[in-house]
Amino acid sequence: KLTLVHKNPSDFHEVSEVYENTSYWRDVTLKMLHNRGAMVGIAMIVGIILLALFAPIASARTYDDVILEHNFLSPRIPVLENFGIFDGVKDGVDVYAQRGIPDDVYYFFGTDSLGRDLWTRLWSGTRLSLLIAVIAVVIDLAIGMSYGLISGYFGKKVDFLMQRFVEILNGIPQVVLVTLFALVLEPGISSIILALLVSGWIPMSRVARAQMLKQKSQEYVLASHTLGTNNRKTIFREIVPNVLGQVVTMSMFSIPSAIFTESYLSYIGLGVRAPMASLGSLVSDGYGSFLSYPYLVIAPVTVLAILMISFNLFADGLRDAVDPTMKDM
């Protein structure tokens, strides 16, 4: 309640205004809703997730169905074909009619060299990329956050030893780790997950450590020590709620990195194995035929770009909403 009083008593004047008490997360939500970039990013993420979940289920074909007679068919989509786009025509020739394929057969993104439906394979591969993203966030929060908080909290020799260990792990390229795991196991998603477990959490640990160094000198931490609270409860009950917003925000930035890492490793042959598909393996498969059949590369590259941009927009908006002072960092 705000009261304004003029110096002249005869001009006494009172203005009362009641401000609504909002919680921290409600305030964050309101800021996100007013951030157009973040909302666009969320809309694109939700759209891609829905397509990845339901498009392969709704399709009559699976990602590994091989129909050699339907190889290298251009994209054909109902309704749009009436406007002269995505009509299955290549170099002025209707390849569907040329091969005697019925008019009710459609391949939205075309087919590859084995006649497999690129639409189904693309969204099945997107599922894999999203799975890697979820695993990366879990690893960041479970390992990276805990490691960084413990290192920053105890400091001195404990911090020194823990940070030297991090520097050793960080000096090993992730491609080398995946290659080593692929020699022991088989190239696939398991090798990528193990590589993330070994070194994928390091950037998050550094962010968590910096937040801990900032928070552990605050009064509420001193009060917790005065009341006799043990170290575990002080870290995870007192400090974590105060740094969770910043830590979650930074974990969102790790998602595009994890998606790109999986796609890159699959592109060079260290990712999923055929007939399974990922965005990176689809780009790799279509690269050799790009000049003749560009749609084989354009579709997965477009989805990959949209994923990267949308998660970056969302993370950027979340960062500004959680802590506006981080915009200049």
Side-chain angles (χ1 to χ4, degrees), residues 20-320:
E20 182 182 359
N21 184 22
T22 59
S23 65
Y24 171 74
W25 289 110
R26 177 177 170 80
D27 186 53
V28 169
T29 302
L30 292 175
K31 289 180 180 178
M32 287 288 291
L33 292 174
H34 287 86
N35 189 316
R36 294 182 179 179
M39 297 310 298
V40 170
I42 292 174
M44 290 192 295
I45 291 170
V46 171
I48 288 177
I49 290 175
L50 291 176
L51 285 169
L53 290 176
F54 299 110
I57 297 175
S59 176
R61 311 175 185 93
T62 62
Y63 69 90
D64 56 351
D65 281 347
V66 175
I67 307 177
L68 294 177
E69 296 79 7
H70 291 184
N71 68 322
F72 290 129
L73 289 177
S74 300
R76 185 164 79 170
I77 302 176
V79 180
L80 293 181
E81 63 179 339
N82 299 326
F83 297 93
I85 55 176
F86 298 109
D87 53 2
V89 175
K90 184 182 184 300
D91 298 329
V93 178
D94 186 343
V95 291
Y96 288 78
Q98 186 182 48
R99 301 188 190 181
I101 298 175
D103 293 338
D104 60 347
V105 174
Y106 292 94
Y107 290 99
F108 293 167
F109 286 168
T111 61
D112 62 9
S113 59
L114 297 177
R116 294 175 297 191
D117 183 14
L118 188 58
W119 167 268
T120 307
R121 288 179 61 77
L122 176 67
W123 296 119
S124 297
T126 305
R127 281 183 180 181
L128 181 62
S129 295
L130 293 173
L131 175 62
I132 291 293
V134 172
I135 292 173
V137 171
V138 172
I139 292 174
D140 273 353
L141 295 179
I143 301 178
M145 184 181 70
S146 300
Y147 192 95
L149 291 177
I150 293 171
S151 177
Y153 181 80
F154 289 102
K156 298 180 181 179
K157 291 184 180 180
V158 174
D159 183 50
F160 178 82
L161 293 175
M162 293 181 73
Q163 292 308 305
R164 299 297 79 77
F165 178 69
V166 165
E167 290 174 2
I168 293 172
L169 290 181
N170 197 43
I172 305 175
Q174 204 163 42
V175 175
V176 174
L177 287 174
V178 176
T179 304
L180 293 175
F181 288 132
L183 292 175
V184 177
L185 305 172
E186 290 184 354
I189 188 173
S190 58
S191 301
I192 298 175
I193 294 174
L194 287 174
L196 291 174
L197 282 171
V198 172
S199 62
W201 49 267
I202 291 177
M204 174 55 66
S205 71
R206 290 174 173 167
V207 172
R209 176 177 176 269
Q211 290 295 322
M212 173 58 77
L213 293 175
K214 178 181 177 182
Q215 293 291 327
K216 73 176 184 178
S217 60
Q218 300 295 319
E219 289 80 359
Y220 73 90
V221 178
L222 178 60
S224 178
H225 289 158
T226 304
L227 294 173
T229 307
N230 60 41
N231 292 327
R232 182 180 61 82
K233 290 183 178 180
T234 300
I235 294 173
F236 294 102
R237 290 189 181 181
E238 303 295 336
I239 298 178
V240 167
N242 289 280
V243 303
L244 189 60
Q246 289 81 0
V247 170
V248 170
T249 299
M250 296 309 297
S251 69
M252 292 297 103
F253 281 106
S254 69
I255 291 178
S257 177
I259 293 174
F260 178 79
T261 299
E262 182 278 323
S263 299
Y264 169 71
L265 293 173
S266 295
Y267 179 81
I268 62 177
L270 294 176
V272 299
R273 304 185 67 179
M276 291 185 65
S278 75
L279 294 177
S281 65
L282 290 175
V283 174
S284 178
D285 293 342
Y287 178 76
S289 307
F290 176 71
L291 295 179
S292 300
Y293 307 99
Y295 63 85
L296 292 176
V297 175
I298 291 175
V301 165
T302 300
V303 173
L304 179 60
I306 292 174
L307 268 177
M308 301 280 286
I309 292 172
S310 58
F311 273 111
N312 274 302
L313 287 173
F314 172 66
D316 191 63
L318 184 60
R319 178 196 62 188
D320 296 344

Side-chain angles (χ1 to χ4, degrees), residues 5-31:
V5 181
H6 290 277
K7 292 182 178 180
N8 189 348
S10 62
D11 296 333
F12 178 77
H13 166 76
E14 181 177 333
V15 178
S16 297
E17 184 174 352
V18 178
Y19 294 93
E20 182 182 359
N21 184 22
T22 59
S23 65
Y24 171 74
W25 289 110
R26 177 177 170 80
D27 186 53
V28 169
T29 302
L30 292 175
K31 289 180 180 178

